[in-house]
Amino acid sequence: IGQHSKDAINGLLHLRRGDSINRCDTSVDKMRDYLACSLDGTESLGRNLTMIFMTDESDTEYRKNIMDLLDEYPHVSIVDADALTKAVVGEAVRNGLIDKDFKNNFYTYDVESVLRDKHGDLIKFTLEQRRSHCHDCIKFLKKRLQRMIGDSSS
């Protein structure tokens, strides 16, 4: 993920639904509006934004619909970190590198902590919706990214 493009800016799209679905609207329609507002103007940065997608949602249709929302943004790509992590864990179990008891959501979440590290080198911005962090928009994302990459144009 970190080596896909030297010009890419990696961000985390983290949607918590399970225990917070009644406190934070993460419906597909709501997320369409959230992404439109948050990503507004970011195409002018001239950089690819790669969203690393994580969620506790198991509904494959919902997950696909959320990922498809980003098709509207040619400068944004998405990586399904949950699917990738589960595939790697499954392969490790098949190859006898880890015990089959590790093939569960808790271990997947733990492995993904490396990808969620907001203080590391991989993730440069976060778009998240969860019980304690539920907003209509991440305003000024473009300006934050401009400062990060040293772009002074508006």
Side-chain angles (χ1 to χ4, degrees):
I1 293 173
Q3 300 296 321
H4 69 285
S5 171
K6 66 180 178 120
D7 290 331
I9 302 170
N10 297 317
L12 177 66
L13 176 59
H14 187 205
L15 307 180
R16 175 107 178 145
R17 287 177 54 87
D19 62 351
S20 60
I21 199 161
N22 294 323
R23 291 185 170 186
C24 185
D25 183 0
T26 54
S27 66
V28 174
D29 288 336
K30 181 68 172 183
M31 292 309 302
R32 179 181 291 108
D33 295 342
Y34 173 76
L35 292 169
C37 179
S38 298
L39 295 172
D40 184 44
T42 57
E43 69 280 354
S44 68
L45 295 170
R47 304 279 286 273
N48 175 268
L49 304 181
T50 300
M51 302 302 305
I52 299 169
F53 178 48
M54 296 179 193
T55 181
D56 62 342
E57 180 58 68
S58 59
D59 180 342
T60 55
E61 185 175 342
Y62 172 83
R63 296 172 62 85
K64 180 184 180 322
N65 289 338
I66 292 297
M67 292 176 57
D68 287 349
L69 290 175
L70 292 171
D71 288 346
E72 298 177 28
Y73 307 91
H75 68 292
V76 179
S77 56
I78 189 162
V79 173
D80 186 342
D82 299 325
L84 182 64
T85 303
K86 287 175 184 175
V88 169
V89 169
E91 185 175 327
V93 168
R94 281 190 306 279
N95 290 332
L97 299 173
I98 61 174
D99 189 86
K100 67 180 178 177
D101 292 337
F102 285 107
K103 195 172 178 181
N104 61 59
N105 286 340
F106 298 109
Y107 189 70
T108 297
Y109 183 82
D110 197 35
V111 169
E112 288 177 347
S113 67
V114 173
L115 299 175
R116 284 190 312 276
D117 183 3
K118 299 172 192 169
H119 304 293
D121 292 331
L122 182 63
I123 300 298
K124 302 301 182 190
F125 67 97
T126 301
L127 299 178
E128 60 186 335
Q129 294 290 74
R130 56 190 168 100
R131 188 176 34 206
S132 62
H133 190 91
C134 189
H135 301 287
D136 290 332
C137 181
I138 302 301
K139 295 185 184 216
F140 310 114
L141 176 62
K142 177 187 170 189
K143 287 188 181 203
R144 283 189 235 166
L145 294 175
Q146 281 176 319
R147 281 195 305 271
M148 184 195 71
I149 63 174
D151 181 1
S152 60
S153 64
S154 313

